């Protein structure tokens, strides 16, 4: 007789079973209850019907299985389609402590059952620390520890994190096949959970739970006895995680007009959040604009800049779209207005990898940001702010062709170092780490003075 397959995605439908929660001991097939050493493991609730497990891999990011969001989906803006709550650092969900947050954005991997979940706030401090990704793949016969908040032999919705030992059977370029046992099975709710190896006493994330046979799990056909599982490899994805985490862009700019630069955060969920400079710290974030999720990297629909274009001492929002247009959205105190068109023809200047790069800073000292054009032939030209447009420009410097992207000889920045109200040119040379300042001389930048080595 053929055994009926239960090779299922290990997501968890929790709401339908809330009424039958058991008070029996947690005899978990995924292992035994654990309360120490796994403070990075997260419980993820998607809407009111689905739960999964994940791992904190950066201060504001949890890695889990993309299949956790199957059915719920990801909105076109990258936000969860359903409200998603993430609990990190609380191995016993009946207790307090840890961090409970909303998920603000989802970044799925293009080819694997993985998604990075952006939390609403950073998690810092020794109580909860991100787990590092392993740098080598799982080896045949290696024993890995898996953890999850999923179903057990006796509980529909356990309140405690469980862990068990699994053995690596084989691997492919993207997956790891694991053998379970009578006391170690992946059940619903365990999807996205970590498989860990210990190196010098510390855990490393080797793979992430994707699917399993679920043999012995509560609610599964008793005839199903297979306890194997398939994980998604992550040992080769440290670069992807780093790239996603780095997508959120922080820009210093004086938004409130008090003469001190605030921190402007472009989130991958499309919001522009301002953390005001309080003197000795930055305040909580305030959303001033939304809908810019495709403007973070400059490689999609365009790029955003923040500089005082109108001359009221408050940084405005400058929108550089991939069609080449430059629009200025005036700072209205708590939001940016609908914008006016200022310049055109800059479609090949968005990323710095084509014809050049643009910057905005007050070069002329009239308190209004000018347009600085850095072309791939190495020239720097200044297009003066004329109140409603930028003029045709004048040449200021040359020889900077290898400073456009930051991946060759270095990068350029513009800011007032001397305190005369006119932006100078910062030259950051990556080979030796030196930062030099070339002082604004009115019509050119001088030869420069080395200020620091980073």
């Amino acid at each position: 007789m053929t055994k009926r397959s239960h090779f299922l995605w290990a997501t968890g439908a929790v709401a339908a079973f809330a009424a039958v929660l058991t008070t029996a001991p947690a005899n978990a097939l995924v292992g035994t209850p654990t309360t120490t050493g796994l403070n990075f493991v997260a419980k993820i609730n998607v809407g009111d019907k689905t739960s999964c497990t994940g791992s904190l891999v950066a201060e504001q990011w949890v890695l889990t299985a993309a299949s956790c969001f199957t059915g719920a989906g990801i909105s076109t803006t990258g936000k969860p389609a359903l409200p998603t709550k993430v609990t990190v650092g609380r191995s016993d969900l009946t207790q307090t402590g840890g961090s409970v947050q909303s998920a603000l954005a989802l970044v799925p991997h293009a080819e694997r059952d993985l998604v990075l979940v952006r939390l609403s706030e950073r998690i810092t401090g020794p109580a909860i620390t991100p787990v590092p990704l392993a740098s080598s793949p799982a080896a045949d016969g290696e024993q890995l520890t898996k953890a999850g908040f999923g179903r057990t032999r006796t509980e529909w919705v356990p309140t405690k994190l469980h862990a068990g030992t699994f053995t690596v059977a084989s691997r492919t370029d993207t997956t790891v096949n694991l053998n379970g046992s009578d006391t170690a099975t992946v059940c619903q709710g365990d999807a996205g959970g970590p498989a860990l190896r210990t190196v010098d006493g510390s855990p490393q994330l080797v793979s992430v739970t994707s699917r399993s046979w679920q043999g012995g799990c509560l609610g599964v056909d008793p005839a199903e006895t297979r306890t194997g599982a398939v994980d998604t490899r992550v040992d080769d994805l440290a670069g992807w995680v780093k790239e996603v985490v780095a997508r959120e862009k922080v820009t210093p700019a004086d938004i409130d007009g008090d003469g001190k630069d605030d921190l402007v955060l472009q989130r991958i969920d499309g919001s522009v959040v301002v953390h005001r400079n309080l003197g000795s710290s930055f305040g909580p974030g305030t959303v001033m604009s939304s809908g810019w999720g495709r403007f973070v990297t400059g490689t999609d629909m365009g790029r955003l800049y923040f500089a005082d274009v109108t001359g009221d001492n408050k940084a405005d929002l400058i929108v550089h779209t991939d069609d080449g247009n430059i629009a200025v959205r005036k700072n209205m105190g708590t939001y940016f207005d609908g914008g006016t068109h200022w310049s055109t023809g800059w479609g090949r200047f968005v990323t710095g990898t084509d014809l050049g790069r643009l910057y905005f800073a007050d070069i002329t000292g009239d308190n209004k940001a000018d347009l600085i054009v850095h072309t791939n032939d190495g020239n720097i030209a200044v297009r003066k702010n004329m109140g409603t447009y930028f003029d045709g420009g004048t040449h200021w410097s040359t020889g900077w062709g290898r400073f456009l992207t930051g991946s060759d000889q270095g990068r350029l920045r513009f800011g007032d170092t001397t305190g005369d109200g006119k932006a100078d040119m910062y030259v950051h040379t990556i080979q030796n780490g030196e930062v030099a300042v070339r002082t604004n001389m009115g019509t050119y930048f001088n030869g420069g003075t080395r200020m620091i080595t980073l």
Side-chain angles (χ1 to χ4, degrees):
M1 181 176 179
T2 302
K3 187 176 293 184
R4 187 161 63 92
S5 173
H6 289 275
F7 196 70
L8 302 174
W9 301 98
T11 53
V14 299
F17 308 109
V20 291
L21 282 172
T22 176
T23 57
N27 182 18
L29 284 210
V30 78
T32 55
T34 181
T35 57
T36 60
L38 298 174
N39 60 11
F40 52 82
V41 180
K43 172 69 177 291
I44 303 171
N45 292 97
V46 183
D48 59 1
K49 294 183 179 180
T50 302
S51 67
C52 291
T53 305
S55 301
L56 186 74
V57 294
E59 289 182 344
Q60 208 161 0
W61 295 88
V62 167
L63 181 63
T64 187
S67 51
C68 291
F69 297 89
T70 301
I74 302 172
S75 72
T76 57
T77 63
K79 297 179 180 180
L82 293 175
T84 299
K85 182 179 73 173
V86 182
T87 303
V88 187
R90 187 185 296 177
S91 57
D92 184 343
L93 300 176
T94 66
Q95 302 299 309
T96 58
S99 177
V100 182
Q101 301 189 32
S102 298
L104 292 186
L106 305 174
V107 182
H109 191 277
E111 299 173 346
R112 303 189 193 183
D113 182 21
L114 294 170
V115 64
L116 278 164
V117 181
R118 187 198 184 280
L119 305 179
S120 55
E121 298 178 2
R122 294 182 183 275
I123 296 176
T124 59
I128 306 174
T129 56
V131 61
L133 271 60
S135 58
S136 60
D140 289 359
E142 181 178 6
Q143 291 191 321
L144 301 175
T145 298
K146 292 184 69 63
F149 284 99
R151 209 180 282 181
T152 71
R153 185 193 299 272
T154 58
E155 292 181 299
W156 287 114
V157 188
T159 58
K160 294 182 179 180
L161 177 68
H162 291 76
T165 301
F166 290 71
T167 304
V168 177
S170 63
R171 74 170 190 267
T172 69
D173 288 343
T174 59
T175 61
V176 179
N177 296 305
L178 296 165
N179 289 330
S181 65
D182 289 343
T183 58
T185 299
V186 171
C187 299
Q188 286 202 24
D190 292 324
L196 306 159
R197 70 159 62 103
T198 301
V199 178
D200 296 329
S202 298
Q204 294 183 353
L205 182 59
V206 177
S207 58
V208 166
T209 302
S210 179
R211 53 200 187 274
S212 75
W213 294 105
Q214 303 193 61
C217 298
L218 185 62
V220 175
D221 188 341
E224 179 57 80
T225 59
R226 288 170 288 186
T227 58
V230 176
D231 271 22
T232 303
R233 283 180 57 179
V234 301
D235 58 275
D236 58 342
L237 294 182
W240 173 67
V241 172
K242 183 177 180 180
E243 185 271 327
V244 171
V245 172
R247 285 182 190 176
E248 296 199 319
K249 184 178 180 182
V250 175
T251 304
D254 184 4
I255 296 295
D256 55 15
D258 64 355
K260 298 178 294 185
D261 277 350
D262 308 294
L263 286 185
V264 184
L265 173 64
Q266 288 177 247
R267 289 178 177 167
I268 62 169
D269 65 0
S271 57
V272 173
V273 179
V274 176
H275 294 264
R276 299 188 186 279
N277 187 332
L278 302 179
S280 59
S281 65
F282 291 97
T286 301
V287 177
M288 284 191 63
S289 192
S290 299
W292 304 103
R294 299 177 67 181
F295 284 75
V296 177
T297 64
T299 58
D300 191 354
M301 289 186 65
R303 182 181 293 277
L304 303 184
Y305 312 82
F306 300 88
D308 180 11
V309 176
T310 60
D312 63 357
N313 296 317
K314 297 183 293 184
D316 306 295
L317 169 59
I318 304 163
V319 183
H320 179 185
T321 45
D322 60 0
D323 61 4
N325 288 316
I326 303 289
V328 175
R329 295 197 171 212
K330 185 178 178 180
N331 183 333
M332 305 303 291
T334 57
Y335 66 96
F336 300 103
D337 72 9
T340 56
H341 175 78
W342 272 58
S343 192
T344 193
W346 306 104
R348 299 177 66 181
F349 285 75
V350 178
T351 65
T353 58
D354 191 356
L355 285 181
R357 181 182 290 276
L358 304 183
Y359 313 84
F360 294 86
D362 180 11
I363 298 293
T364 61
D366 63 357
N367 211 38
K368 297 182 291 186
D370 307 294
L371 168 60
I372 304 161
V373 182
H374 180 184
T375 45
N376 61 7
D377 60 6
N379 288 317
I380 302 291
V382 175
R383 296 202 169 207
K384 185 178 178 180
N385 182 330
M386 304 304 291
T388 57
Y389 66 96
F390 300 103
D391 72 8
T394 57
H395 175 79
W396 272 58
S397 191
T398 193
W400 305 105
R402 300 179 66 182
F403 284 75
L404 282 161
T405 65
S407 60
D408 191 354
Q409 285 197 357
R411 275 295 307 273
L412 305 182
R413 301 288 195 280
F414 295 86
D416 180 12
T417 301
T418 61
D420 62 357
K422 297 181 293 184
D424 308 294
M425 181 165 72
Y426 292 72
V427 182
H428 184 191
T429 307
I430 59 176
Q431 286 92 338
N432 57 17
E434 286 187 358
V435 177
V437 174
R438 297 202 169 207
T439 302
N440 182 332
M441 305 303 293
T443 57
Y444 66 96
F445 301 104
N446 74 5
T449 303
R450 183 176 67 84
M451 301 290 285
I452 192 173
T453 300
L454 300 178

